[in-house]
Amino acid sequence: MENIIRFTPSLYLLSVFFLAYFSLQQKEIFDFNKNDLDELSTIKEYKRENPKRVSENRLNELDEKLRMLMNSEKVYLENDLSLPKLAKSMGASCNEASFVINELYGDNFYNFINKYRIGEAKILLLSEKYSQLNILGIAYESGFNSKTTFNTTFKKYIGLSPTEFVKSNAILEKKEA
């Protein structure tokens, strides 16, 4: 019995290493199909001194399509939106779509999409139409997949949690009335 007690910490340590090793061996974290993963793997960091990968005309054309998709069709509300899906909607490659977002908006795909989602969430949080929804409902309606991601992202961009944002606007409305 004493030998078992003596080796228990070593057994626990060995178990932790075993679990960590096999966790790190996982091939895929995101559920993309093979073609999407292949296209995403072709995206490379570009340096400012390199020539532009997209011509000025093509850049303007893609920017116009991107603006239409974001402002008219509101594709950012799709909670499964990915760079390959957005690129396909734009009629562009992942490389081109990523380049447009990086070059013209100075952002990466996720930050770019999340800014639109947070803007939508702010409108919904202050809207009477959506007053019956809780925070999770607002998160889903604005394109987020989880309440945690929504709260974290909202606080990152606005500086307040969604609940604090609603309360601070309610206070401002009372003062103005």
Side-chain angles (χ1 to χ4, degrees), residues 53-164:
R53 295 184 296 184
V54 179
S55 71
E56 200 66 37
N57 288 340
R58 179 74 173 148
L59 194 64
N60 291 334
E61 173 190 331
L62 292 175
D63 182 37
E64 190 176 311
K65 286 181 183 177
L66 181 60
R67 287 175 190 265
M68 191 228 8
L69 286 168
M70 300 305 285
N71 297 323
S72 300
E73 296 183 29
K74 296 188 176 190
V75 294
Y76 58 88
L77 297 177
E78 298 172 18
N79 61 2
D80 64 340
L81 183 64
S82 62
L83 181 58
K85 273 182 111 174
L86 180 64
K88 188 176 181 181
S89 297
M90 291 170 63
S93 69
C94 283
N95 261 337
E96 289 176 319
S98 178
F99 184 78
V100 168
I101 293 169
N102 292 330
E103 185 74 12
L104 298 180
Y105 299 96
D107 232 333
N108 66 40
F109 170 75
Y110 291 104
N111 288 337
F112 178 75
I113 296 300
N114 282 340
K115 286 177 183 174
Y116 277 91
R117 288 176 173 169
I118 293 301
E120 184 74 18
K122 286 170 53 180
I123 292 167
L124 294 176
L125 285 167
L126 300 176
S127 167
E128 290 296 320
K129 179 181 174 190
Y130 289 94
S131 62
Q132 72 273 8
L133 290 176
N134 60 15
I135 297 297
L136 183 60
I138 298 289
Y140 287 145
E141 286 290 317
S142 10
F144 287 94
N145 284 326
S146 75
K147 184 177 177 181
T148 305
T149 304
F150 173 62
N151 283 330
T152 305
T153 307
F154 197 92
K155 189 153 189 157
K156 175 183 171 184
Y157 288 106
I158 306 302
L160 301 168
S161 72
T163 306
E164 292 169 339

